[in-house]
Amino acid sequence: MKIYFAGSIRGGRDDAELYHSLIQYLTKYGEVLTEHIGDKKLSSKGEGTLDNKYIHDRDMEWIMEADVIVGEVTQVSLGVGYELGRAVENGKKILCLYRPSEDKKLSAMIAGCREIVNREYNDLEEGKKIIDEFFKDIE
Ligand code: 6K6
């Protein structure tokens, strides 16, 4: 099983630690192609070594290769929204995890997408349970 984890980078890195923990947990179910998303040293400003076209093409290849896409969508990110749209277009199985809050409302284009399993949670432990249920359902 290959898993593509999507989480905000240039959209803001406030949740980087949570991404790290979710990615660690997801390795229980398969290979996570995007472990770097959980790297706390990765800032929203970027390392500046990788070219945008290189990043886009490599990430699209990984999305095509992946069996499952898991997105943490609380922190608004254009890149994550784009990835989810391309994943839907290509018939991927998709789980989105969102922590409800007044100041970060989930876009209707994600919340209203029938091809995405959208689940709300409040902390890591709840997130892990949702991941377990999702993988049980798709087995
Ligand atoms: C690091 C910091 C800034 O730029 C970098 C290097 N960039 C990226 N490296 C790997 N994946 C990326 C990079 N920029 C965006 N992505 C992909 O888009 C990731 O798979 C994330 O799921 C998503 C984040 O999009 P933004 O718009 O928040 O950056």
Side-chain angles (χ1 to χ4, degrees), residues 45-103:
K45 299 197 176 59
E47 330 89 318
T49 50
L50 298 178
D51 167 73
N52 287 331
K53 285 195 184 70
Y54 172 84
I55 293 167
H56 174 276
D57 295 351
R58 183 200 57 185
D59 286 3
M60 275 311 302
E61 263 176 42
W62 280 341
I63 287 172
M64 299 309 288
E65 221 180 284
D67 303 293
V68 168
I69 315 293
V70 177
E72 214 296 351
V73 294
T74 310
Q75 177 64 53
V76 177
S77 155
L78 274 177
V80 172
Y82 173 84
E83 291 174 326
L84 292 169
R86 299 297 306 268
V88 168
E89 178 191 8
N90 285 287
K92 299 293 171 178
K93 295 185 180 88
I94 308 170
L95 169 65
C96 280
L97 296 168
Y98 166 67
R99 303 189 321 285
S101 77
E102 271 310 307
D103 60 328

Side-chain angles (χ1 to χ4, degrees), residues 4 6-7 9-11 36-37 42-43 46 55 58-59 77 79 83:
Y4 188 101
I9 296 181
R10 291 187 187 160
H36 54 278
I37 309 284
L42 186 66
S43 82
I55 293 167
R58 183 200 57 185
D59 286 3
S77 155
E83 291 174 326

